[in-house]
Amino acid sequence: MVSSQDSDSINSTKLRTSDLPITSRPTAAILILIIGLGGILFGLALSISVGAADIKLSTVWEAVFHFNPDIRQHQVIWELRIPRSLAGALVGACFAVAGAMMQGMTRNPLADSGLLGLNAGATAALAFAFAFTPSMPFTLIMLFCFIGAALAALLVFGIGSLSRNGLTPIRLTLAGAAVSALLLAVSQGVAILFHLSQDLTFWLAGGVAGTTWGQLKIMAPPILVALIVAMMMSRSITLLSLGSEVAAGLGQNTRLVQAGGMLTVVVLAGTAVSAVGPIAFVGLLIPHITRYLVGIDYRWVIPCSAVLGSLLLIFADIGARLLNAPYETPIGALISLLGVPFFIYLASRRKGAVS
Amino acid sequence: MFALKRNKSGSTKLAMAGLAALMVILSACGDNNAGNAANSTAGSTTAPSAEATAAPSQGEAKTVTDAMGHQVSIPVNPQRVLASYLEDHLVTLGVKPVAQWSVPNGIQEYLSPELKEVPTISYDLPLEAVTSFAPDLIIVDSESAVQNGLYDQYNKIAPTYVLGDAVNKDWRKALTTIGDLLGKSAEAAQAIKDYDQKAAEAKEKLASVAGGQSAAALWLVQKNFYLVDETRASGEVLYKDLGLASPNLVTEIPADQRATWNPISLEKLSELKADHIFLVNSDKSDSSEILNSATWKSIPAVKAGHVYELSSNSTWLYSGATADSKTIDDILKFLVKQ
Amino acid sequence: MSKPILSSYEKQRRTRNITVLSLLGFLIATVFVISMNTGFMRLSPLEVLQTIGGQGNHQQKLILFDFRLPRIVISLLVGAGFAVSGCILQSLSRNALAEPSTLGITAGAGFAVILFISFFPATTAAPIYVLPLLALLGAGLTAALIYILAFRREGLSQARLVLIGIAVAAGINAYQIVLALRLDPKNYQFVATWMAGKIWGGDWRFVLALLPWIVVLLPFAFYKARVLNVLNLGDQMSTGLGAPVERERLLLLAAAVALAGSCVAVSGGIGFVGLIAPQLARRLVGPRHQVLLPAAALTGGLLLLAADTIGRWIMQPAEVPAGVVVAVIGAPYFLYLLAKSRA
């Protein structure tokens, strides 16, 4: 539905969009894509080479190219390290693209799945899941988180857009903060009543450790589809990022694009959160860096964000494993260390324009 | 929210009366807690702090110092003891507590035969719940349970003795201390002696069938493995009491980070060089994936079929004479039969 | 605009204010009585009355006078403190959504406590006032940080203040998770309960610890009511009216932070009281701080007392922390305000 809408707008607006102030630097973007993909390959290689078990580099490569199921180390590489590294790459792309789309559609530089309540929604759903069914299969946990994230997103965006002036950045951020506070309070209450606070905190801290091929198989298809849809929508998002009046003036059905975009964001962020826990700030950090590098044309911003997001998460995960080996440092916390100062910088840089 | 309250006690009439009584309360609140009128359930042994300075002699309370430095006057022959999460020791000493530890989804299952009729109390020991059981002695396991003035609140209900983490870590010390408090020192000493004898016999038996072999105790919760420490809970039984060898991963746990159960990734676990694995599985349906993984199956002990699964209700997560004695039974059952 | 009409309007307003304030007082008294009758131990209203009259047994006296009453008093004081703190912050920032928890002050206080517990485990009887003082320190430092970050030469932007508050709170939460994971389960449970805002300091000593702050700062805020009226008009306006804006604002901000900090110290992370109470009060008595502040204080006390009572009762025998109850009631109200506001 979205793509047909998109092509309509292309037909009717082809001439005029060129007049708009869309800065883009395709050369930089292509460079980022090439170098980034190289970096991802290098990161993946590095990622499967380090870990808690001592495995020699030569054994690692043997495991990759001449897999022998009888060798214990080969099993570790295939069953634990490779899915984990791939999950990191996928999830990083998810968070980054979801953030980029949210920021573009809502014209809110502070949009991020963590700040907009999606993570809290997943957490609340998880708290209930832990409390009422102490042991449930992973797929069900994922589903729960996903529903929680989706409901929270609906709530935040619903309330954010209720007012006459529509979704202003500060309104969205405030709605996100309030919904987060509500849902986290509910989770806290459930956790205290059912004596599972620390279980929940472990999940809150986030991490890609323990991802299995089975989980990867479940999460990969929706993520890939959503990423492709995001790419297809990138043009409409560029127009929306210039303001809904501009987009509407160019013949775009803004409501439809916003709805489709939100659905994509929920799929991306919901799946990612359910797989690795609420990792905040990737979706905030990466799109900003990307826009700084390649300009504001989302046809470039979205793929570049995906690549850079993958890169960030792969290396953060490597750091999480090495920092306090043999124990894992929570990756969510690690990324927050980077993200918080950046967020404060963004918030304090903005002048009266936010209100 | 107001509808909710109306359901509670439709006491609007009393509201007015209570309003009138407000002044009374405010003037009365200062001096009431010294009241030493023992209530009907507690019997006459409730010892208000004032009369407890005498030396320990027959028929009088004795004063002892607990782990946090409180002077606690212990009534002679306390009848209504509350010692949440220390019930193992009470059972060993043949004392029935007034209430037993519980969380919303469980109690200490292994003690349920002995504590069948004992009502439960929430793990966080709410003040009013404690009061409702009218204990004459409260024993608290850890300093953290009585932080920030909570101690004084409990102490108003009944003399409260804090065992402390340092003592509680070693069940023999904990049992001895509790035995002393309850006037059952001889029983405590006897229980330790009995246990040590049982352990020695078991050790001998094991030496003949599994001499020099190593074993590890793992706990699986929410997809995560935890490895028991050498000196605590079932680790103490395995290594110290029964003389099984500690495998590589157990000895490699960084000394400054040792907890009773230490998190360990499956990846690291793949390097476990142990002859036997005792697996406490707290996650039945969730665990199938991880226990069917090729990595788990490639661990030598798993390959050899030397994995013994224990339910999460088993005594392996606890320590104490009663728990450890049952742990020994488990170990013998699995290792000696073969 | 003739004089008689104005004064009759004035009179009407005064009667209305008095009605509202006494109604709030009456509601507090009602909830007070219900709260005295609510708890794990079933005491019949008659028994409560008898005990109050001095005839109860040791157990009943203990429960009423040592457990329930101090807790009720603390709920009232903390509620009033948060409400006045929120009211000041809202007027200073001219932002209806400002309050100690949205501005990250609550999180800062909580962080200081977690930090202390993770490095100094409670192996000895720590002095009872250590945590409250730390919480106060944490609140102060966080507020200073937010103020510095939000302050610009052209003045304090209200939007920026709230955004930075949210950012700082998010950051503190992230660090908190790292710290919390290192705690052993028992300490963790304590911290989790504390952060969820359970009124745990049910002890007369906590009343005494909190009382000085309330007794000094509430009258101070009431005394500054006229300044707040002026500041609420906006910087240019108030400078025009001759108020030394920056000094007064800092003074009031410090008072708000100290109030919030001392309340967090005793009650843990309770949010939203500071948001809802002033809002409701404003609806009831209008924007004049001379009436607004006392009305907000009463509303806040009522709100928290009701929340604590509901929390004790609703899932018996388990206790739901008051902070959770308040959040469940307060967050939807916040969202409603947000949906209605034009910001």
Side-chain angles (χ1 to χ4, degrees), chain B:
Chain B
M1 64 188 239
F2 288 100
L4 293 177
K5 270 180 287 165
R6 218 171 26 230
N7 292 343
K8 170 60 193 163
S9 53
S11 53
T12 21
K13 256 184 289 169
L14 280 155
M16 299 312 296
L19 200 56
L22 220 159
M23 291 294 121
V24 188
I25 304 171
L26 289 175
S27 56
C29 60
D31 58 350
N32 60 76
N33 40 18
N36 56 358
N39 64 62
S40 52
T41 30
S44 57
T45 44
T46 313
S49 45
E51 74 176 49
T53 38
S57 64
Q58 202 106 58
E60 286 201 47
K62 60 181 170 184
T63 302
V64 292
T65 308
D66 76 355
M68 294 172 83
H70 304 117
Q71 296 289 315
V72 189
S73 61
I74 309 293
V76 177
N77 195 15
Q79 293 301 305
R80 301 182 58 81
V81 181
L82 179 69
S84 175
Y85 218 54
L86 297 167
E87 284 87 352
D88 188 292
H89 307 307
L90 298 189
V91 166
T92 307
L93 296 173
V95 172
K96 210 159 249 183
V98 282
Q100 62 171 320
W101 178 91
S102 72
V103 286
N105 31 23
I107 52 168
Q108 299 168 90
E109 284 290 340
Y110 75 100
L111 294 173
S112 59
E114 289 88 351
L115 299 179
K116 206 184 287 165
E117 308 97 56
V118 177
T120 59
I121 188 166
S122 174
Y123 67 93
D124 55 354
L125 297 179
L127 287 168
E128 292 198 14
V130 174
T131 313
S132 73
F133 289 112
D136 57 7
L137 175 63
I138 302 171
I139 306 174
V140 176
D141 58 349
S142 159
E143 290 91 344
S144 58
V146 292
Q147 286 179 89
N148 292 292
L150 255 181
Y151 176 85
D152 299 302
Q153 301 277 75
Y154 289 129
N155 206 32
K156 278 179 197 156
I157 304 171
T160 302
Y161 184 92
V162 181
L163 204 56
D165 289 330
V167 173
N168 200 26
K169 219 160 51 180
D170 182 345
W171 67 261
R172 287 176 172 85
K173 277 189 202 157
L175 180 60
T176 310
T177 310
I178 292 178
D180 291 345
L181 290 181
L182 302 183
K184 291 182 181 287
S185 311
E187 285 92 331
Q190 186 60 40
I192 293 174
K193 221 167 112 192
D194 289 349
Y195 173 82
D196 285 341
Q197 186 167 359
K198 180 173 181 174
E201 282 166 16
K203 188 175 185 176
E204 220 166 279
K205 265 189 229 165
L206 279 179
S208 58
V209 285
Q213 292 185 9
S214 60
L218 289 174
W219 183 20
L220 178 60
V221 203
Q222 306 284 10
K223 293 201 302 177
N224 292 314
F225 283 106
Y226 296 83
L227 189 61
V228 79
D229 179 60
E230 273 177 296
T231 58
R232 285 179 243 186
S234 37
E236 188 188 7
V237 182
L238 276 176
Y239 308 118
K240 210 171 126 218
D241 297 346
L242 300 189
L244 288 159
S246 331
N248 55 341
L249 296 185
V250 174
T251 50
E252 283 165 17
I253 301 168
D256 56 329
Q257 299 190 20
R258 288 190 178 190
T260 307
W261 293 93
N262 303 280
I264 188 157
S265 63
L266 182 56
E267 177 170 337
K268 192 75 188 164
L269 205 56
S270 71
E271 296 181 334
L272 177 68
K273 292 194 189 82
D275 296 307
H276 305 277
I277 294 177
F278 294 92
L279 176 68
V280 182
N281 192 344
S282 293
D283 237 329
K284 270 292 183 207
S285 68
D286 198 23
S287 61
S288 58
E289 193 174 19
I290 206 162
L291 294 184
N292 283 327
S293 69
T295 310
W296 169 255
K297 285 182 172 163
S298 72
I299 299 171
V302 184
K303 242 184 199 165
H306 292 168
V307 178
Y308 318 108
E309 220 175 283
L310 301 146
S311 84
S312 55
N313 297 336
S314 79
T315 54
W316 286 64
L317 305 178
Y318 303 93
S319 70
T322 309
D324 288 1
S325 163
K326 289 185 180 170
T327 305
I328 292 180
D329 294 342
D330 282 336
I331 296 171
L332 289 181
K333 186 177 85 193
F334 286 121
L335 294 190
V336 174
K337 242 204 235 158
Q338 309 169 338

Side-chain angles (χ1 to χ4, degrees), chain C residues 12-80:
Chain C
Q12 212 179 338
R13 199 177 61 180
R14 188 163 294 168
T15 358
R16 185 183 143 85
N17 288 346
I18 290 169
T19 321
V20 167
L21 290 183
S22 39
L23 194 70
L24 283 172
F26 174 74
L27 280 174
I28 288 178
T30 313
V31 181
F32 178 96
V33 171
I34 295 172
S35 189
M36 280 300 263
N37 283 293
T38 308
F40 182 89
M41 279 281 275
R42 295 207 182 284
L43 298 181
S44 72
L46 190 70
E47 278 173 320
V48 171
L49 269 185
Q50 277 174 347
T51 313
I52 290 169
Q55 289 177 317
N57 62 24
H58 177 62
Q59 210 178 14
Q60 289 165 339
K61 277 184 187 165
L62 205 55
I63 283 184
L64 284 185
F65 297 134
D66 283 313
F67 302 158
R68 287 189 192 165
L69 194 60
R71 192 165 158 168
I72 290 171
V73 174
I74 284 173
S75 301
L76 287 171
L77 291 180
V78 166

